[in-house]
Amino acid sequence: MTHTDHVATVVFDEVGGDGLLLKPGANLKHGLPNFEEQFGAPTSLEEDLLVLASAIFACDLAFKRGEREAITRRIRLTVPVVNTAAFERVRRELQFALWTLSHDAWDVRFTAREGTPEANGAFQAGSPGKALLFSGGLDSFAAAVKFGDAGETVKLVSHVTANRAVSSSQENLLAHLDDRYPGQFERAAFRVSGFDRSSVGLPFPSDSDREETQRTRSFLFLSLAALVARRNRIQDVVMIAENGQMAIHLPLTAARISAFSTHTAHPEFVATMGPIMSKLLGYPIEITNPFLYLTKAEVVSDVVRDHADQLAHAVSCWKASRVRKDYNHCGYCVPCLIRRVSIEAHGTALPEYARDLLTEDVGDLRPDDDGKRNLVELCEFVATIDGRSQAALEDEYPDLINEHIDPVEAIGMYKRFATEAKAVFSSYPNVAKLF
């Protein structure tokens, strides 16, 4: 597999640098105003991490992947930081985490920036509660409901961009949580992205020229959540809530292995990030996924039963910002198909898809139709999971051989999903034929 080479440099007052220039507060929105609004002035370490995490995410957006063998990228990013020693201590682990997440070769370099490093032991744990990544999707909403019902106090952490579908989803779901569980939830929202400032010599690609996969968003998200947890002195955990199907994310076919498949909540990445954040911030950060061995249908069961009027507000689609007006879901990407199975498995159907793929005659669609490809491959995956033994599936999917995955639990979860999917698809004659 070949690599496409890219270079980026974070700049402050200076004008020089290699490759794409990212200037915080100019063409790089790094969440500093949002942080200051919530917590006041940041320490130098907090600002360093905001800049690093936003710069990584901006590079992910700015450098488009190639096709097929050129899908992986080699990215060299130089970031000036005040707390150089702290970042050098985690540099190797950081680059490994980014590779696990994106399957790109990251070379992150730190240079010294003028300022006073943060003192050791600046924050001590002691407050009850949890920090939860709150994306506006079904899974994070289901986690909020779970902890709301348990009487927990939860700090929600959201990443906001110009995507109105997602930001509206977050706002609507938060309003519902505040109404249903008064005083239990508080949200910290951070606007982070790249913006074109060509007029002052700081260009950034337009939406149409950006990479769509955004696989490093989880690194940004967890960095923000770690900062929020530390500032609130939370002694419990930071949670990334993702159903097991999408977290473990076994490839539907051999064509989707490795860099061709997303790993945004993969157990290995999640396990790596806790120690990185703990070492970097000098504060105990435990990161967990409470839904690792649950199907999406199992995750959303309480939502469908007790909060069904909120289902339409939660956005699952990878293409939400590009779906035609009046819809938030394309209906044919893999997350849309899995969402549909998870909701319809409980006997609820929503007219929320711009394309009602399950009612189309899939056999008559063009071979290069993305919807056809996704649905056919999902059905083949379901048939494979349903029809093979534990041992055969471990041979078929070597990704299950990982110290952070229990293969028995994982395969049990996938077999339950296969049962759910076949039951839902059996209601659609054109899809049932695929089995």
Side-chain angles (χ1 to χ4, degrees), residues 127-134 143 147 152-157 185-186 188 221-222 224-230 232 234-241 285-288 290:
S127 299
K130 293 177 170 61
L132 170 66
L133 306 192
F134 192 67
F147 295 112
E152 301 263 14
T153 299
V154 182
K155 304 294 183 183
L156 304 176
V157 183
F185 293 94
E186 184 178 282
F221 225 154
L222 285 173
L224 297 174
L227 290 174
V228 169
R230 190 175 80 142
N232 285 282
I234 290 174
Q235 64 185 7
D236 291 343
V237 297
V238 172
M239 291 173 296
I240 177 169
I285 300 290
E286 181 185 355
I287 301 173
T288 65

Side-chain angles (χ1 to χ4, degrees), residues 138-139 141-143 145-146 149 176 180-181 295-312 314 338-350 352-353:
L138 264 180
D139 291 13
F141 179 61
V145 165
K146 170 186 171 72
D149 287 342
H176 176 78
R180 183 65 70 93
Y181 309 103
T295 70
K296 193 175 186 76
E298 292 166 345
V299 166
V300 306
S301 60
D302 289 349
V303 175
V304 176
R305 186 187 67 236
D306 300 328
H307 307 264
D309 59 335
Q310 298 303 305
L311 289 170
I338 290 176
R339 172 192 174 93
R340 190 161 181 174
V341 168
S342 73
I343 295 174
E344 294 189 15
H346 297 287
T348 298
L350 300 176
E352 59 180 356
Y353 304 101

